[in-house]
Amino acid sequence: MNGNYPNPPPGKRSLRDPYADWWDKQERRNFGEPLHEDNDIYAVFSTDTYSHFTPGWGAVLLGTFVASVFGLCAIIRPFYPDKPSVPRTFPGGLDRELGGKGAMLARSDGTDV
């Protein structure tokens, strides 16, 4: 107790019944009900407790998503054009345009891919 003020047991008010007959419907508390000293933590608009999924089920969902993405990539890969059908060639290999002798040449007309 803080002085003579009663400290009620901790509990998030967002988990209380929203359809009950509360005096303060937004904060889900009755008139004269003592506040916990950590009211900012237990109020309705404080950070909510996460109770949607267990960690195991979350891992299953994440694994399913990753497997689906990699499966879709494996299906699309054979059909995805990663290089042009016919590589572009240049007469003379663009020797002069790329900097002269010793420069890395572009593919010339007679070279195979």
Side-chain angles (χ1 to χ4, degrees):
M1 276 207 233
N2 187 3
N4 206 11
Y5 189 79
N7 198 15
K12 291 188 99 33
R13 286 200 298 272
S14 63
L15 301 177
R16 288 183 174 182
D17 181 20
Y19 303 108
D21 189 28
W22 301 106
W23 180 76
D24 182 359
K25 300 208 183 289
Q26 181 172 339
E27 281 290 326
R28 296 181 190 160
R29 66 184 282 268
N30 289 319
F31 182 78
E33 180 180 351
L35 291 175
H36 193 276
E37 66 178 320
D38 293 326
N39 180 49
D40 54 341
I41 297 173
Y42 297 123
V44 172
F45 295 113
S46 63
T47 305
D48 198 12
T49 55
Y50 187 80
S51 59
H52 300 292
F53 299 119
T54 61
W57 183 244
V60 168
L61 292 175
L62 179 65
T64 304
F65 172 73
V66 169
S68 299
V69 168
F70 281 130
L72 185 64
C73 290
I75 291 171
I76 291 175
R77 183 173 173 88
F79 306 106
Y80 188 76
D82 56 346
K83 69 174 191 170
S85 307
V86 179
R88 191 168 174 194
T89 60
F90 301 96
L94 295 178
D95 183 30
R96 192 185 55 188
E97 289 84 357
L98 290 176
K101 188 173 182 174
M104 186 177 205
L105 297 178
R107 190 175 290 119
S108 59
D109 282 331
T111 58
D112 286 332
V113 178

